[in-house]
Amino acid sequence: MLKRLDGLEERTVKLERAMVKLWREQVKLREEVAAIRSGVNALRKDAGAIRTTLERLALTIEGEARSVVRRRVRERLNVDVELDRIFVDSMGVNIYGAAGDLCVIGEATVRLGPTLVSELLSKIEAIKRSRPDLLRRRIVKVIYADYATPEALEAAKKAKAWVLKWDKDLTPLAVEESW
């Protein structure tokens, strides 16, 4: 009987040690989870700040684009067209304006790749289908970009899209007859 009690006592001591070890591990895990939560909260805060900054930059480049394009159209075509952002069937167009028989449709971006050229052409086709009242006999397809890849410039030339930045034209200004 004593032998059995000694065995139980020994097992009880081992269990107590294991429980203490588990308890310490649990405390460590709780501390690590708290640190992770704190890190996640900091990341969320940083992501929010980054999102806000990107939204401000996008609005800034769009505003700059509309101003520069408006001035250049006035200088080159002698047409003063007010430019704004529009939405057609929940599709956003960064640059749009119409005056007389001319309309200007375009996009603004920091970095222009060939995909945005295709996107602009698709948007114009969508406008032709769903809102032809926005179009005029003459159309200027325009993309304002800080930087354009050589492939994008080739695609823009083929599409007769005018690519420019604040200080110069990257492709020639083209006025296309739409009807």
Side-chain angles (χ1 to χ4, degrees), residues 7-18:
L8 279 175
E9 189 177 327
E10 192 176 307
R11 278 189 256 158
T12 303
V13 168
K14 284 182 182 177
L15 283 172
E16 285 174 351
R17 285 183 189 148

Side-chain angles (χ1 to χ4, degrees), residues 19-103:
M19 284 177 46
V20 168
K21 186 177 178 183
L22 284 173
W23 180 78
R24 287 183 184 144
E25 288 297 318
Q26 182 184 14
V27 168
K28 276 172 68 177
L29 282 172
R30 284 186 180 179
E31 289 170 355
E32 289 173 4
V33 166
I36 289 170
R37 282 186 180 145
S38 175
V40 166
N41 289 337
L43 284 173
R44 283 186 180 139
K45 183 179 175 185
D46 290 348
I50 290 168
R51 184 180 304 113
T52 300
T53 300
L54 287 174
E55 287 169 358
R56 286 181 183 153
L57 284 173
L59 291 174
T60 299
I61 194 161
E62 287 175 19
E64 177 182 303
R66 287 189 285 270
S67 174
V68 170
V69 170
R70 181 179 186 185
R71 180 177 49 82
R72 301 279 277 288
V73 166
R74 187 174 47 240
E75 291 169 358
R76 305 282 282 293
L77 301 175
N78 200 30
V79 176
D80 188 17
V81 58
E82 180 128 357
L83 300 173
D84 206 345
R85 173 178 244 268
I86 63 166
F87 290 89
V88 176
D89 297 334
S90 75
M91 170 188 65
V93 178
N94 299 151
I95 302 167
Y96 171 80
D101 70 343
L102 179 77
C103 77

